[in-house]
Amino acid sequence: MGGMALAAALLSPAAAQDGRRVSVTGEISDTWCTISGLMFAKGTAHHQCAVWCALGGIPVSIRDADGALYLILKIGDDEDSAANPRVARMATHEVTVDGELLERDGVKYQLVDHIADDKGIITMTHEEYGIQPFGN
């Protein structure tokens, strides 16, 4: 389901709270590795896997400093959030985004209007974790 179709489904009156404008700062990460705990999902140790997951269609989220996840439904005019090369290029980057936050059943969805800041990869973790998934 494309980002716009999913957003429309989320916006049905019984389905979601009204959206509110927010700015979110955190690391771009795939939800599979973050939620499953299957492998370390942070920084450079996880970079290549995050790219593969994003291009493979795994939903991508922003993980803030407190560990909260904001599932990205779209960025700018992009219609698709899954397998989106624009999103994959930002894997493991620390970004600040501005947009609309929607919440449903405890899940936070982010409709990103624009990326206010992209610091690139700032969490360097190879020494501690090796290069995943072929490292330690």
Side-chain angles (χ1 to χ4, degrees):
M1 178 182 290
M4 293 306 291
L6 183 55
L10 287 171
L11 290 174
S12 65
Q17 299 174 358
D18 289 338
R20 64 183 191 274
R21 309 301 302 170
V22 298
S23 180
V24 176
T25 298
E27 184 176 318
I28 301 287
S29 186
D30 67 275
T31 54
W32 171 250
C33 289
T34 300
I35 298 298
S36 70
L38 190 60
M39 62 181 293
F40 182 71
K42 190 173 183 184
T44 55
H46 177 249
H47 179 79
Q48 189 59 57
C49 183
V51 170
W52 291 333
C53 283
L55 291 176
I58 300 295
V60 173
S61 60
I62 300 170
R63 180 180 48 234
D64 71 12
D66 295 328
L69 295 177
Y70 298 79
L71 188 66
I72 298 173
L73 293 183
K74 75 175 191 83
I75 295 180
D77 295 333
D78 291 350
E79 294 291 323
D80 296 313
S81 57
N84 183 328
R86 182 178 181 189
V87 176
R89 280 192 297 275
M90 295 187 305
T92 67
H93 286 204
E94 182 178 296
V95 298
T96 298
V97 300
D98 295 317
E100 186 174 3
L101 173 66
L102 305 170
E103 294 186 59
R104 179 178 181 188
D105 298 330
V107 179
K108 297 175 182 183
Y109 300 94
Q110 186 71 30
L111 302 171
V112 176
D113 288 333
H114 71 279
I115 300 164
D117 189 22
D118 183 345
K119 289 185 173 47
I121 301 170
I122 65 164
T123 305
M124 306 301 268
T125 57
H126 284 93
E127 291 79 19
E128 186 176 355
Y129 294 98
I131 299 172
Q132 299 292 335
F134 304 110
N136 300 347

